Each structure stands twice: as C-alpha cells, then as structure tokens.
C-alpha cells in the first residue's frame, strides 16, 4: 500500500480557489477568503473530481470536494451562465456549472503534484460519495460573497 | 469568422462562446469531438476551434489528431481550453497539432491575447484595438 506522500497546503488551495473565482465569477476581483471558523451548511451540495496520480511509489487516487449550500451553488450557476437573479436554475445547469468550478479547482490542484495523472469528470450530488476508504488530507473553509463554502482533499491508498 | 466551441459543459460553452462572440466570431457549439467533426464538415471555413480535453464520446486530443489528419482543415486554428495543466499533456496537445493552449480558469482578456498572438482576431476587433 502506498504511503500518503503528497502535500498540498491551505495557502495553495486558497490561491487556486481565489484565482478560479476571480477569473470566472468576479470579473478579476478577489471576493473569496478564508473563513475564521467552519459553518454548518444547511441543504448542502457537493461537487468533486477524482485525480488518478501515477506517483513513483505507485498509483494513488485523490479527490477534491467543493461544498456549499444549494442557494450559493445557484448563485454560482446564475453568475456563470449570466442569467437574471430571479431566473430558475435547473439541477442540470446547477450540476454543470458547480461541477465545472470543481473541475477547475481539482485540475489546478492536480498540477501541484508533479506526476502523470488523469482527471475524472466532475460529479455533483447532495450526498458525498465516500463509500470507499478515503483518508483526509487537507481542507479549507471559505467565505464567498458572505456565503460559506469549503474545499477538502482526500486520498485513497491503492494496493499494488 | 466562424468558431466552434467544443466542451461537454454547457456553462463553459456559454462563457467561451460569449467571449468569442464579443470579439466578432460567429459561434457554433459542440459537446464532444464527434459533434465538432460533424460541424467542421458543414462549415469547412471555420477559422477557430476551442477544445476541452476531457469529454465523453471523443476527447479533445483525439479531435485534434483527427482534424490534423485531414488536409481540408489545415487552415483551421486549434486552441485547447482545458484544466489539464500538466506539462506532459500540453506537450502532447501541441505535438498533435494544437496551435495554442489556454488553461482554465481564464479571463476574456486572456482569450483575446492568445488569438491576437495567433493573428486570427476578427477584423472588427483588430480595428478597435488599433
């Protein structure tokens, strides 16, 4: 079994998330910051991508999960799709837009690990699928436009 | 000038399409490489394809290889727009025949700068910038 020898710092995650949100959602302005404390989310939505990393020690799968309230995910979706604030958002649009943000965060986290790797398609769900053995690696609690959001990284040891 | 935006995400197609439309391109959308090849058959005068990497049915790298294998599409500029930022992946895409590589996230200005470097900005935008 591989040891967990990949390291990603909170500052690196923060930098990636700030770059993604500034470029895609906030017209270049930084409006997402580290929260002083975690917030319990009601009606939460999760978006994640998996990264299959071919490390020198063997293969490893990492998962990057974004979590926020469904209401905030709807705001993200409306902002990305450039629709009106009162326009209804379908779950398909929500999954597509929030999933794409997870895809960009995960893709840029993947680039921090200097090893050949593959990125999965994003998955968006009200439930986290952690049915396999995932080990906690890092997390970061954030505030975007006064709304809580979190990013967490997990790894799954792979038996050779 | 015609551009095909190839991405399985409708959100990304809208964002990239909007940025290109503002630069003066006529936009067509495809959700994977096979749909994009069909659009290229219908619009062989397409000036630009923006291409995501990870897509169902046919991925972006395979699309680039298919386009570059056909002489009739030699004039079409291919630009990868993807989260795949690993150096080896960038080299593979460029070696397969992509002209440029833009990593997500990006700004509309970044798209314009890449197209300016490639010399394929629509004339109306070139005149505005002059």
């Amino acid at each position: 079994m591989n040891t967990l020898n990949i390291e990603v710092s909170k500052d690196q995650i923060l930098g990636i998330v700030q770059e993604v949100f500034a470029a895609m959602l906030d017209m270049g302005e930084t409006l997402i910051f580290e929260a002083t404390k975690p917030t319990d989310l009601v009606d939460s939505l999760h978006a994640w991508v998996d990264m299959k990393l071919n490390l020198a020690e063997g293969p490893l799968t990492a998962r990057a999960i974004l979590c926020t309230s469904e209401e905030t995910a709807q705001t993200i979706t409306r902002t990305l799709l450039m629709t009106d604030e009162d326009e209804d958002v379908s779950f398909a649009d929500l999954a597509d837009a929030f999933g794409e943000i997870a895809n960009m965060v995960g893709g840029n986290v993947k680039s921090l690990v200097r090893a050949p790797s593959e990125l999965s398609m994003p998955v968006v769900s009200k439930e986290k699928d952690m049915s396999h053995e995932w080990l906690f690696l890092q997390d970061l609690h954030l505030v975007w436009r006064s709304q809580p959001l979190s990013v967490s990284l997990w790894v799954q040891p792979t038996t050779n | 000038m015609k551009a095909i935006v190839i991405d399985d995400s409708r959100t990304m197609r809208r964002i990239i399409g909007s940025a290109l439309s503002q630069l003066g391109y006529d936009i067509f959308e495809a959700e994977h490489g096979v749909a994009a090849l069909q659009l290229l058959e219908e619009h062989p005068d397409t000036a630009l394809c923006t291409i995501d990497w990870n897509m169902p049915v046919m991925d972006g790298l395979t699309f680039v290889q298919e386009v570059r294998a056909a002489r009739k599409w030699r004039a079409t500029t291919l630009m990868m727009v993807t989260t795949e930022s690993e150096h080896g992946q960038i080299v593979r895409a460029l070696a397969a025949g992509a002209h440029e590589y833009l990593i997500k996230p990006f700004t509309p200005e970044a798209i314009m700068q890449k197209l300016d470097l490639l010399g394929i900005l629509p004339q109306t935008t070139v005149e505005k910038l002059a």
Side-chain angles (χ1 to χ4, degrees), chain B residues 2-79:
Chain B
K2 294 177 182 174
I4 301 175
V5 179
I6 311 161
D7 200 305
D8 59 318
S9 163
R10 189 173 87 85
T11 306
M12 289 312 303
R13 293 199 303 272
R14 169 122 25 134
I15 291 168
I16 297 167
S18 172
L20 293 175
S21 182
Q22 286 178 29
L23 293 174
Y25 281 95
D26 296 322
I27 306 302
F28 299 86
E29 295 183 11
E31 58 188 324
H32 49 68
V34 170
L37 288 173
Q38 287 167 355
L39 274 175
L40 266 181
E41 289 285 359
E42 294 166 23
H43 303 279
D45 56 338
T46 297
L48 168 71
C49 292
T50 68
I51 310 148
D52 187 22
W53 190 296
N54 296 309
M55 294 182 289
V57 185
M58 180 188 283
D59 65 31
L61 182 64
T62 307
F63 172 79
V64 169
Q65 291 164 338
E66 291 282 331
V67 172
R68 282 294 157 256
R71 290 183 64 84
K72 59 185 174 183
W73 293 322
R74 285 183 74 176
T76 302
T77 297
L78 305 178
M79 182 164 78

Side-chain angles (χ1 to χ4, degrees), chain A residues 22-93:
Chain A
M24 305 308 297
L25 292 156
D26 297 325
M27 311 276 282
E29 200 174 347
T30 300
L31 297 178
I32 189 163
F33 303 98
E34 188 170 1
T36 50
K37 59 180 182 182
T39 305
D40 287 332
L41 289 167
V42 179
D43 204 13
S44 60
L45 198 66
H46 308 270
W48 66 85
V49 289
D50 288 345
M51 300 154 255
K52 289 184 179 173
L53 309 167
N54 291 306
L55 303 173
E57 300 81 4
L60 194 71
T61 302
R63 173 170 289 182
I65 304 176
L66 265 70
C67 179
T68 193
S69 67
E70 189 162 336
E71 189 181 346
T72 304
Q74 286 178 354
T75 305
I76 289 171
T77 303
R78 286 194 194 93
T79 308
L80 284 172
L81 290 173
M82 297 167 269
T83 60
D84 293 335
E85 276 183 31
D86 55 354
E87 196 169 321
D88 285 342
V89 174
S90 69
F91 189 80
D93 281 342

